[in-house]
Every structure is written in C-alpha cells, then in structure tokens.
Amino acid sequence: MRDIAIIGGGASGLVAAITAARLGSNVTIFERQNRIGKKILVTGNGRCNMTNLNIKPEYFHTSSQKGCFAPLAKKDVETVLAFFNELGIERLVEKTKVYPASEQASSILDVMRMEIERLGITVKVDTKVIGLKYKENKWQVETETGETEVFDRVIVSTGGMAAPALGCDHSGYNLLKKLGHSEIETFPTIVHIVSPTKYCKMMKGMRFKAEVSIFVENELKRIERGEVLFTEDGLSGPPIFLLSRVASESFKDRKACKIHFDLMPDWTKEDLVAKIYERLANGSSKSIEDLFVGWLNKRAIMAVIKEANIGSPVAPCENLDYEMIERLAECMKCIVFKVEGTRGFKFAQSTAGGICIDEIDLETMASKKAPNLYVTGEVLDVDGDCGGYNLQWAWSTGLIAGEAAATV
C-alpha cells in the first residue's frame, strides 16, 4: 500500500485523493484552511458550473507551445460526469454548461466529503505545508508547525492566486520552485475590467446586452456577446470575463488596450440611420434625448449623445442634420472604453500563468523535475474560459494524478 500526500484540498486535490484511495493507497490531505473545498462552494455563483459539454482546445490557454489538451482528452467530460454520478450527482444542462441538478455547489463538496470519509482518507485542516524534501526514495512533508511526515508519493494541488480569502496564495508555486520547477508570471483572469472612461460611472448599475470587442495596440483580439454590467470603475458580466484575460495580460505587458462597445449588434449603421429618421418623422417636436426613449436605456441615451458630441440632449430634434444623425448611429455601434487592466486576484475567479507545463508529463501529471511528484489544477500554467472549463481542468488532472500516483 502506497502512502500518498495531497497538498491542497481543493477541486483537483479532492478528486486525486478519492481516485488514489480507491486504488488502494493510504491518502492524507493537507489543507491550510479550516475546511476542504471552500472555493468549490462559490463556483458558478454557488451553483457550481462543474463542466461544459463543449470542451475544445481553443477554450484553454497556456504559454506552452505544445498545448495543454492531453489531460482533457484523457479524462474527458463524460468520464468526469460518470465519476460524480457514481457519487450521487445528477446533471443539469443549460445550453452547454453543466451544473448539479440540486443547483447547489455544496452538493459537489458534500458527496466528495462522504466518499473521503467512506474511504478512510485522512484530512488535516489548518495545516500549511512549507517544505518538501526527497530523501531515500521517500518524500518528507514538513508543516508550518514543524512536524514532518513521510510519504511514497506527493500530489501538489495547491491552486492558484485567485480568491485569496479562500486560501489561495503563492505557497504552491514556492514549494515547486524549490524543487526545480519554473513559474510563468501569473495574472488574474475571469475578472472585472477596469476603465477610467466616464460612461462607466454614468451607467453604474446598468445591465446591457451588447457586443464587446477588445483591441491590444489596435489589433482585434476577441469578440463576445452577452449582458454587460457597468460599475463605477469599469465593466463586468459574462462577456467581460471572457475578455478579461486579454485585458489583464496587456496591462501586465504595458500595452495599450481598449474595448469597443456595440449597443446594437444586430443592426447596421445604415439601419440605425434609417430608424432615427423614421422616429424623427413620428416625433419631430421632441428633444434629442426624448427621441430615443422607448428604444434605448435612458442612461445609455445620454452616453450616446455625449459621445456623438452633437450638443445639448434637450435641444429639439429639428436641429439634427445628416452628419449628426450619422454620428449618433456610429456611437450606438461603437463607444470606446479605455482599459487600465483588471481588478486584482481578490476579485478574480481564476489565475493565468503558473508552473510551466513543459516540466510536467501530461499523460500522468508527473513532475519531470522530481521523482514521484505530481502536480494538478490551477497551480499549473493553464487557465480556461468562464463556463466550467477551469473545473474540468481540475477534475481531469486530479483523476490522472491520483491514478498515476497509486499505480505507476
């Protein structure tokens, strides 16, 4: 029977622990927080978007030229769903996103905790690992209290930098760097984008379905559609989260970045000009501002008029000439928001960057730098888009590492 230490009781660590224990290993989980799985509880706004049926390489990001898809292909979505179904989780599918049928993230953690207890896995909470030493074909695991335990295999599943209040910090990277691994610079992703543009504060609290495009040094990088939330210091909402990796990386690299905000993505500029003329014909006595009431959100109306620079919003519509109408249409199709990076790791859902995956055997998640050492989850230089992709990476790598540590 092998003795296996799991450093970190998050998503990938818990799956690795269960997998290894089922294969006959004696498993101990070391968790620095006062309970395991805290971050799981907040995923998917408490519903746990546990995976996505549309797992493709383009939804995952890494600095490695070799890509990162091998673990996701080896332990795919159906493998993960079967694992959780065996534990008692029924699936709820919304488009391609998968949630537990209970719509409670706590269900995911509850069934894993029950299985951990059934398998007799040792769980040590409030226990921070500060050192790993390989000596005489064994791993010595040193904790902050000065205690040392010996194991045959170690799986590092310490997570990334996102959500430090839930126990995420730099400790996992430090452990692995001392063993010869290298770290790709980290930065927050799936996070609120910061913009000094005056319209953010003007439209604070407003939700608007739109198309948003992000440019770096005037080069288009990505386009997304969905509901955008305006905040006092920037932009949030699902499509913004999908653009945030580009914004965060450009800020890190000190490159100019901006977002083009299309209020009317299903309309051409010519369609909008025609519609404005139609509304003018039906209400030429109105003010310019009133002309748009019933068509646009009131605060969006003010932003469009200000951006178009056509004078007072209370001026009569009859003052509008063709050039002014064109400018209004252009601004409905594109208001530019300067980007000044993102909020920090405190507000992020995931971490970009991390331990270089070229130093990991992606067939087993084994370290190429140290024997009988495995690495999983967010601590690695892999991050997925918003929508269940990061949890799929955690589950897949945890399943592979747990299996390999117990059998290879």
Side-chain angles (χ1 to χ4, degrees), residues 152-171:
D152 300 301
R153 304 283 191 273
V154 169
I155 301 175
V156 177
S157 306
T158 48
M161 297 286 288
L166 300 174
C168 301
D169 64 7
H170 210 266
S171 59

Side-chain angles (χ1 to χ4, degrees), residues 366-397:
S367 165
K368 296 178 182 179
K369 296 292 184 178
N372 301 327
L373 177 72
Y374 302 82
V375 189
T376 69
E378 194 178 341
V379 74
L380 292 164
D381 175 29
V382 176
D383 62 283
D385 283 353
C386 182
Y389 298 101
N390 286 296
L391 272 178
Q392 179 64 40
W393 172 254
W395 311 135
S396 294
T397 56

Side-chain angles (χ1 to χ4, degrees), residues 11-12 14-20 22-23 71 74-76 79-81 83-84 364-365 376 392-405:
S12 67
L14 297 181
V15 168
I18 291 169
T19 303
R22 284 176 172 178
L23 292 169
K74 185 171 184 176
K75 299 294 183 182
D76 61 9
T79 303
V80 166
L81 290 175
F83 172 87
F84 281 105
T364 62
M365 304 314 297
T376 69
Q392 179 64 40
W393 172 254
W395 311 135
S396 294
T397 56
L399 287 167
I400 292 169
E403 187 177 283

Side-chain angles (χ1 to χ4, degrees), residues 235-383:
L235 304 166
S236 189
I240 296 300
F241 288 158
L242 290 168
L243 302 185
S244 65
R245 190 185 199 279
V246 176
S248 191
E249 187 171 29
S250 69
F251 183 70
K252 174 180 69 71
D253 296 338
R254 298 183 180 181
K255 293 182 178 179
C257 182
K258 61 186 177 181
I259 287 175
H260 287 189
F261 195 94
D262 185 348
L263 294 166
M264 310 295 288
D266 296 322
W267 295 60
T268 65
K269 175 188 165 184
E270 290 71 27
D271 290 338
L272 292 171
V273 168
K275 175 57 74 173
I276 293 171
Y277 272 114
E278 178 187 318
R279 293 175 73 87
L280 275 169
N282 294 330
S284 58
S285 62
K286 293 180 179 179
S287 69
I288 297 171
E289 179 183 3
D290 290 342
L291 181 68
F292 291 92
V293 172
W295 188 16
L296 290 181
N297 180 287
K298 286 186 177 181
R299 281 185 284 176
I301 294 170
M302 294 303 297
V304 168
I305 294 171
K306 284 181 177 293
E307 184 72 4
N309 193 27
I310 58 171
S312 173
V314 297
C317 286
E318 62 187 25
N319 286 5
L320 291 174
D321 58 25
Y322 181 75
E323 287 187 1
M324 291 177 174
I325 291 169
E326 275 220 321
R327 288 207 299 275
L328 285 167
E330 286 168 0
C331 292
M332 292 169 78
K333 291 297 293 176
C334 180
I335 295 180
V336 178
F337 289 78
K338 181 182 178 182
V339 172
E340 290 186 348
T342 65
R343 288 184 180 174
F345 283 115
K346 179 180 178 181
F347 302 96
Q349 295 181 31
S350 189
T351 307
I355 296 301
C356 177
I357 64 165
D358 292 334
E359 300 166 356
I360 304 295
D361 178 356
L362 297 183
E363 287 297 313
T364 62
M365 304 314 297
S367 165
K368 296 178 182 179
K369 296 292 184 178
N372 301 327
L373 177 72
Y374 302 82
V375 189
T376 69
E378 194 178 341
V379 74
L380 292 164
D381 175 29
V382 176
D383 62 283

Side-chain angles (χ1 to χ4, degrees), residues 119-139:
L119 292 166
I121 294 171
T122 300
V123 178
K124 296 192 172 187
V125 296
D126 292 317
T127 306
K128 182 176 181 179
V129 172
I130 61 171
L132 295 172
K133 294 179 182 178
Y134 194 69
K135 187 176 181 180
E136 297 177 356
N137 296 322
K138 296 281 186 179
W139 279 103

